[in-house]
Structures are given as C-alpha cells and as structure tokens.
Amino acid sequence: IKAAAAPVKLLSGLIGADPKDIESIEYDYLDTVFTEKRQRQIDLLLQLEKQKPDLEIELIYLNDPELEKNEIAMAEVGKVFRDREKKDYKQDKEAFEAFVHTEVNSDTMNILKACLQLVDQNIIDSLFDQNNQKRIFDIEQYLTLTNDSTEIVVIPRKPDAPKNLGSKPLFDIKYSMKEENLP
C-alpha cells in the first residue's frame, strides 16, 4: 500500500535520490538548455530502469502554450528594446514600458497585449514550436545516447491535456508496472 501511495518516495530511496529529482524535469519559459541537473535526473531514471526492469517510466511533456507565447512576445520586444536602448527589459521596466507604449502609439494598452501586437504571431508560434521540439529532442537524444535499449518513453505535449493549463514547461514523470508483469 505504501508503494502505491508514494511511489516516488519509495523509488527515490532505492537509488538514494531526492524525490523531487524523479518527480519531474522542469524548465522555465524560454529555457531550452539541457543542463547538468537535467542530465543527472535522466541518469537517475536510467538507474531506476536498470534496477527495476518491471517498471515502466514515461516522461509526459506539459506546457501552457499561451503563457510561454506571452513570454516569447515580451522577450522578442525586449530584444528590440535592448538593441535600440542598450538596456535590459527585465532590469529597466519603466523604460521598457515607455518604449512599448511609444511603439504601439498608445499609453493605455497593457504591456503584454502591446507586445503581442508588436510581434508577428507566426514568429511567436514558430519560436514556441522550436522551444518544445528542442526540449523533447534533447531528452530523447540523451536517453538514446546513454542507453540505446532504454524503454523510457517521452510523450510529446498533447494540446488538449488539462494539466497543460498554467504549467511551465516540464516533463512529468509517471511510473507504472509493465503490463506483461501484471497479475
């Protein structure tokens, strides 16, 4: 019963890992770097797979597209701001807001809405797709290069999955017993 109620805690104990390291692999919006920490998390999953061959491990990719696309729009306008004003939009918010209001010719428009108006939607969509593809590719590639016979599965983002809503980009790690090993 304990194993069913808290599988992550039990599994983390088997490999001497922090349970958080085998619950999910998290990113911030706009972040696509496959860091050493993320590599270590995958190594822990591969270790679990080796120690528990009856265990099925799935990495379910989640991400709220609207929230990341908002961040992309702000960052794209932030690049223009940096190039023209030689300032960081995150550091000098007042100057950034004034810049954006000047660009949209309105001083009452919400900054996010203004940024979304200033950046071509096709560019936002393209960058969003690139970010998602890079995160998935890096995880799959590392899994394959580290163990070409791994059965750990990466499941791409399903647009209609309710868990996407409000989610930063992350791979939710799901554990179950392989069907052929069930009674």
Side-chain angles (χ1 to χ4, degrees):
I1 294 174
K2 285 182 182 179
V8 171
K9 190 172 183 180
L10 176 75
L11 293 170
S12 66
L14 290 173
I15 56 172
D18 182 336
K20 290 179 185 174
D21 286 341
I22 63 168
E23 285 180 325
S24 64
I25 299 170
E26 300 177 4
Y27 290 79
D28 285 324
Y29 298 117
L30 309 179
D31 174 15
T32 60
V33 178
F34 188 61
T35 62
E36 284 184 33
K37 179 183 180 197
R38 293 178 182 126
Q39 180 179 325
R40 187 174 47 77
Q41 288 180 277
I42 297 293
D43 290 340
L44 290 170
L45 297 177
L46 290 164
Q47 185 180 344
L48 262 176
E49 180 183 45
K50 189 175 186 177
Q51 286 186 15
K52 290 290 194 187
D54 294 347
L55 190 64
E56 185 173 278
I57 303 172
E58 295 177 325
L59 302 172
I60 303 165
Y61 184 60
L62 301 171
N63 189 5
D64 188 319
E66 183 178 344
L67 294 178
E68 183 156 23
K69 287 178 181 184
N70 291 347
E71 291 289 328
I72 290 169
M74 295 281 281
E76 288 300 298
V77 176
K79 288 178 189 175
V80 175
F81 175 71
R82 181 193 64 226
D83 291 346
R84 289 190 195 162
E85 305 294 323
K86 308 299 183 227
K87 297 177 184 175
D88 184 333
Y89 78 101
K90 290 182 179 180
Q91 301 296 321
D92 195 343
K93 292 183 182 193
E94 262 186 51
F96 179 64
E97 287 184 21
F99 172 81
V100 171
H101 286 138
T102 301
E103 291 297 305
V104 293
N105 202 22
S106 168
D107 59 0
T108 58
M109 188 179 291
N110 171 293
I111 293 300
L112 174 58
K113 188 173 181 180
C115 287
L116 287 166
Q117 183 177 318
L118 291 170
V119 181
D120 184 329
Q121 187 63 45
N122 291 326
I123 291 171
I124 294 171
D125 291 342
S126 176
L127 290 170
F128 174 75
D129 290 342
Q130 287 174 26
N131 289 351
N132 287 305
Q133 290 169 9
K134 172 124 175 54
R135 292 178 190 120
I136 292 169
F137 175 80
D138 287 347
I139 298 272
E140 288 178 331
Q141 182 180 37
Y142 185 76
L143 280 166
T144 304
L145 291 174
T146 306
N147 178 357
D148 63 358
S149 61
T150 185
E151 293 183 21
I152 296 175
V153 177
V154 178
I155 298 173
R157 187 180 74 80
K158 295 179 181 167
D160 57 344
K163 282 187 164 185
N164 283 320
L165 193 60
S167 176
K168 282 191 172 187
L170 66 87
F171 292 87
D172 190 31
I173 304 169
K174 181 182 167 208
Y175 302 95
S176 58
M177 295 301 292
K178 291 183 179 171
E179 286 195 27
E180 67 264 15
N181 297 314
L182 293 176

